[in-house]
Structures are given as C-alpha cells and as structure tokens.
Amino acid sequence: MKLGIVGLPNVGKSTLFNAITNAGAASANYPFCTIEPNVGMVSVPDERLEKLAEIYNPDKFTPAVIEFVDIAGLVKGAAGGEGLGNKFLSNIREVDAIVHVVRCFESTDIIHVEGSVDPVRDIETIDLELILSDLEIVGRRLDKATKALKGDKSMQKEVDFLKKLTEHLESGKSARSIEAEEDYEKEILKTTSLLSYKPVIYACNMSEDDFKGGIDKNANYLKVKEIADSEGAEILPICAALEAEISTLDDEEKLLFLEELGLERSGLDRMIQKCYSLLGLISYLTAGKPEVRAWTIEKGTKAPQAAGKIHSDFERGFIRAEVVSFKDFMDCGGSMTAAKEKGLVRSEGKEYVMNDGDIVLFRFNV
C-alpha cells in the first residue's frame, strides 16, 4: 500500500512524514523545501503477529508494510505547471490513497503560503488543482472514445459517462463524489487514474495546546470534519510536533507519553487504522518456525486469491485452506494441536471468504 502525503507548503507535511517514518526528510519554513518526493517504509503494528512470534520464535518476522510518499507542497496553479506542479501531480497519481495534511493551527512563526490560516480554502485549493489535472485526463479519454464510437456503437455508454464526468468536474466537484451505479462506470473511474477519485484522509495538524486542550474546541478542525463527513472521507486529528517527539522515545516511554495525552495509540497507528478502513483492507496471518508474516488483502477476497498473494502457484494449484481464527488459536493456549483437537481448525474450499486475523495454511499442487 502506498500513501501520498499532500498539502500546501508549510502545513506540517514533512514534519509529520519525518515523525511517522523517521526518514529524516528535509523540513523548513519556506515553500518547496521538498522537491523530489521522499519515501519511507513503515511496518504496520499488529499485536497478533507479535504474539505469534513469541510462540513460534521464527527465523523471520515479516509485518505488513506501508510506503509513505512525502510529495512537495502544491500551490495554486499547480495543474498549469506553477511551482513544478505537474511533476508533483504525477507523483500523486501513483499512490493508493491521499493523506491530505491541513493546517489547523495558528502561528506567527510559521508563514502560511496564503498569508492566513483557512483550512476550507486550503482544501479547495488542492482539490481544484487535482480536478483541473483530471479534466485534462478525462478530455483525452473522451476524445479517444468519441473517435472509436464511429466504428463501434458499443462505445456510446462510455462516451455518455465521460461527458457526465466532465460536467461534474467542471462544476468543481471531485470524481469521488460522482454517482457511478453501473459496473462499467465504476470501471472507467478505476482505470482512468483520476487524482480526485483517490480515497482521502484529512490529517488536521493542530498545535500542541489545541491537541491537548480538546480537538472539538478547535474551530478549524470542526470545519474540516464537516467537509470529510460530506465526502465520506476519513479525518485524523494530529499534532505533527507531538508525533515528532513521540518518534524519538522507546516503547515504554512512548506508552507513558500517550497515556499522559489520553491516547491509546500514536498518530501513525491511528493513521494506519484509518487507511485500512478507507481502502477496505484486512490482514491474514501465516505462522511457523521459518516465518511469521502478515498479508494484506481486500475485504471479500476468497481463499485462492489470498493464496496468490504468497505465490501465483498457490492460487493456480489451490486445493484447500486450513484456517483457524487468531482468537480461537489463542484461546487454545497458542497451540495448533489443541485447536485441531477441539475442531477449531477448519478445512475451507475455493469459495471461502477470508476474515481479518485468519491464521492460514494453504494446501496446493501444481
């Protein structure tokens, strides 16, 4: 999974990226400090995996991984090439979801590129650049489909939907908000690689005082929440400065620090949780002495396709999946033998839909 961190200059993007990845990206109080995208790989925290590692003491421990891409600050006119805009927009096109960092804190020390703090305006600025870039992409596809229509009347539906999509974007609305009822419409949206169609998490960057004092008292956060609710997007209240502090602590100190803040999880953990929810992802687990590992799949994935995540031969030669839920396994003292004796290890076929936390052994033959 690849997540792109975007936003206007000086909203705290790179500070947040540094904190969650410890990658040491440049962070400074002026626009375009970040030009080339910084990339950081982050392991997905999973207590279930850690408990399996304690039981099996494996030779290899492999958690799921998320790739974060810190994309340089966009500015008004980016779709027309302002501030190296086209280059930045192409970087966004490659990610699975967007983490849109929005400034919700006041500060005289950190200059806002627009001269004042207004999260609604900032969101509209970024959205407009994504929409303008999408209009260009949709226009090219519409031209191609219109030409193809002359020799293939079955293209009429695609042409009609692309015209509807163009009008929708021209009205200033993101592709995410268009109603696509037919399967072919959904397929067009998926295959056209539209920036404004990508799922979004709004990361509301607050000051330390605001974050500690109660997020619901922050008027800027409430404005962003209203936008997120209307779009069906996720929202993440966060303080990049605090996350930077948390990232320097060891595990024990981190827990104490979070406890003082009244939080159960760090901003990174909460962000990952929201990403999984937003993208409809779950993890299944494989466990043994050679390796304990988490595999990320979409909700609704059937056993053969889940097996294919490990190796294409597993899917091609799929026979069955031997499955036990993590909870049942732990209730049996972390013993697969005990789970089998109690009939909790199931033999599932090709139609089995995987569940989050399934511990699986795939049987296959090629």
Side-chain angles (χ1 to χ4, degrees):
M1 176 164 49
K2 189 187 251 191
L3 303 176
I5 303 178
V6 307
L8 292 171
N10 296 352
V11 297
K13 281 187 315 82
S14 293
T15 302
L16 182 60
F17 173 82
N18 291 347
I20 62 181
T21 64
N22 281 320
S27 174
N29 182 22
Y30 56 89
F32 309 122
C33 171
T34 311
I35 295 176
E36 291 301 324
N38 295 294
V39 178
M41 307 295 282
V42 174
S43 297
V44 175
D46 193 330
E47 290 177 5
R48 301 169 304 189
L49 206 63
E50 288 167 14
K51 285 178 180 171
L52 289 175
E54 287 172 16
I55 292 165
Y56 286 97
N57 190 25
D59 300 329
K60 195 175 177 186
F61 177 83
T62 313
V65 170
I66 291 180
E67 184 177 333
F68 283 97
V69 184
D70 176 27
I71 294 160
L74 290 165
V75 293
K76 196 180 289 183
E82 288 295 319
L84 305 179
N86 288 328
K87 189 172 183 181
F88 300 162
L89 289 166
S90 68
N91 292 329
I92 302 171
R93 212 171 291 285
E94 296 169 9
V95 304
D96 299 306
I98 293 170
V99 178
H100 185 164
V101 183
V102 185
R103 179 167 167 175
C104 292
F105 66 90
E106 301 284 347
S107 171
T108 53
D109 297 329
I110 301 173
I111 307 156
H112 190 290
V113 73
E114 294 287 351
S116 62
V117 175
D118 182 346
V120 175
R121 176 203 61 210
D122 293 355
I123 288 171
E124 287 173 352
T125 298
I126 296 286
D127 279 353
L128 180 60
E129 296 310 318
L130 301 186
I131 288 166
L132 288 171
S133 179
D134 285 347
L135 273 167
E136 196 178 325
I137 299 287
V138 173
R140 287 203 295 266
R141 179 153 179 174
L142 178 56
D143 285 345
K144 192 175 177 183
T146 304
K147 286 173 185 172
L149 178 62
K150 292 174 183 176
D152 181 0
K153 296 303 176 189
S154 69
M155 293 295 292
Q156 186 64 58
K157 282 185 176 181
E158 180 171 333
V159 168
D160 291 344
F161 180 69
L162 288 169
K163 285 180 179 176
K164 176 183 167 184
L165 179 57
T166 300
E167 287 174 13
H168 184 84
L169 293 169
E170 283 176 342
S171 69
K173 296 173 185 171
S174 67
R176 285 188 304 279
S177 62
I178 195 168
E179 288 185 17
E181 295 170 0
E182 302 288 338
D183 286 344
Y184 79 89
E185 293 177 340
K186 292 172 187 172
E187 190 60 27
I188 289 170
L189 287 170
K190 279 182 188 175
T191 56
T192 312
S193 189
L194 300 177
L195 300 177
S196 69
Y197 186 63
K198 291 184 183 294
V200 173
I201 295 172
Y202 291 109
C204 297
N205 189 15
M206 303 180 184
S207 70
E208 193 170 328
D209 288 341
D210 279 344
F211 197 74
K212 288 178 177 177
I215 57 171
D216 288 333
K217 293 176 185 175
N218 184 303
N220 287 322
Y221 166 75
L222 295 175
K223 289 175 186 174
V224 179
K225 188 176 186 303
E226 198 173 318
I227 292 170
D229 289 345
S230 71
E231 291 182 355
E234 291 280 357
I235 188 166
L236 177 73
I238 201 164
C239 173
L242 281 175
E243 291 301 318
E245 201 171 332
I246 289 169
S247 70
T248 64
L249 305 175
D250 62 34
D251 289 345
E252 197 173 320
E253 289 173 324
K254 193 178 287 184
L255 287 172
L256 289 170
F257 191 82
L258 290 171
E259 202 174 296
E260 284 176 24
L261 292 171
L263 296 171
E264 290 182 10
R265 298 181 173 203
S266 69
L268 170 62
D269 290 359
R270 289 182 291 120
M271 186 184 291
I272 289 172
Q273 187 180 32
K274 286 185 180 291
C275 288
Y276 268 66
S277 170
L278 188 69
L279 295 171
L281 302 174
I282 60 172
S283 293
Y284 75 85
L285 314 169
T286 52
K289 177 61 180 166
E291 184 180 32
V292 164
R293 182 164 181 165
W295 303 86
T296 303
I297 54 173
E298 290 184 5
K299 283 180 187 173
T301 299
K302 292 183 178 179
Q305 288 69 50
K309 289 285 286 185
I310 299 175
H311 197 284
S312 56
D313 284 352
F314 282 35
E315 181 176 356
R316 190 158 54 90
F318 180 88
I319 298 171
R320 67 180 185 277
E322 293 176 9
V323 185
V324 60
S325 75
F326 176 79
K327 183 182 180 302
D328 286 346
F329 178 73
M330 293 308 294
D331 287 346
C332 293
S335 166
M336 196 61 77
T337 303
K340 284 178 180 175
E341 286 172 356
K342 290 187 177 182
L344 296 172
V345 178
R346 311 180 309 276
S347 180
E348 301 286 3
K350 292 182 178 181
E351 294 305 309
Y352 177 69
V353 176
M354 303 292 292
N355 290 304
D356 188 45
D358 278 346
I359 302 172
V360 192
L361 174 64
F362 292 110
R363 300 290 184 186
F364 71 102
N365 183 36
V366 288

